[in-house]
Amino acid sequence: ATKAIKKDGFYEVSGFKKWITGGLMADYFTTLVRTGKAGMFGLSLLLIPANTPGITIRKMETQFDNAHNTTFITFDKVKVPEKMLIGKENQAFRYIMYNFNHERWLIAVGGARSARVCYTEAFKYAMQRKTFGKKLIDHQIIRFKLAEMLRMIESVQDSYE
């Protein structure tokens, strides 16, 4: 958890953030902090310069990909001017949900497109491959599976259009 306490025109930020992609390259961190009570209406967003005293950035080793500079960031009584508040205090939950709506839509569109590409390749393969003396597409169960795949893809596409 990362907390920010308002003091003399500044927020004093303490806590940590884990799994931050690009942390070693970032000039700023858009940081979700607890500024109020527990729950969704006690969260705020602060834009914190990465070179602010009190910030420690540590690279996290990952099994898959080191190119993204995944990091662990520690905030130790970091002083952030009040003017670095994004939006209104204690309203960050709403801002984050608005952003997630867009992200979820993009993920759905990308997933549907990938599914359509996979379907197209499977269909082409079924038209060429022969089993038991006939094309794969000529087997009733294969046609059924391809039809079911396309039905699901069309359903997803209809949902986001």
Side-chain angles (χ1 to χ4, degrees):
T2 306
K3 292 184 179 184
I5 300 167
K6 201 185 281 192
K7 293 181 179 178
D8 302 324
F10 289 89
Y11 286 99
E12 186 179 272
V13 180
S14 293
F16 60 87
K17 298 291 182 188
K18 191 173 183 180
W19 305 108
I20 304 304
T21 304
L24 294 175
M25 300 177 287
D27 293 323
Y28 293 89
F29 299 117
T30 303
T31 310
L32 183 69
V33 296
R34 169 91 35 214
T35 52
K37 300 177 189 174
M40 63 184 177
F41 293 114
L43 300 170
S44 298
L45 285 172
L46 292 175
L47 185 64
I48 304 176
N51 61 357
T52 305
I55 295 178
T56 305
I57 306 167
R58 178 176 58 85
K59 182 169 175 42
M60 291 175 59
E61 293 301 323
T62 58
Q63 290 182 345
F64 171 67
D65 185 7
N66 284 321
H68 290 102
N69 288 308
T70 303
T71 56
F72 185 94
I73 302 171
T74 305
F75 299 92
D76 184 21
K77 297 182 180 176
V78 176
K79 286 192 170 192
V80 180
E82 281 185 38
K83 70 180 183 180
M84 301 304 270
L85 176 69
I86 298 173
K88 295 180 181 175
E89 190 173 89
N90 298 321
Q91 297 299 311
F93 183 80
R94 179 176 290 130
Y95 307 142
I96 289 171
M97 289 300 108
Y98 285 146
N99 186 59
F100 282 163
N101 283 340
H102 179 68
E103 285 181 11
R104 288 176 182 140
W105 185 81
L106 285 176
I107 291 166
V109 169
R113 177 65 187 140
S114 295
R116 191 171 292 282
V117 169
C118 290
Y119 171 82
T120 301
E121 292 303 312
F123 188 86
K124 286 181 198 175
Y125 183 76
M127 294 291 286
Q128 296 172 350
R129 174 88 160 107
K130 287 188 175 182
T131 59
F132 304 106
K134 58 183 177 178
K135 290 183 180 177
L136 200 56
I137 195 76
D138 292 332
H139 294 279
Q140 184 179 10
I141 189 65
I142 299 302
R143 286 195 312 271
F144 170 77
K145 286 182 177 189
L146 287 169
E148 185 64 10
M149 286 168 54
L150 189 56
R151 181 193 64 77
M152 289 189 276
I153 293 167
E154 290 293 329
S155 175
V156 169
Q157 185 168 343
D158 181 60
S159 294
Y160 72 72
E161 284 184 346

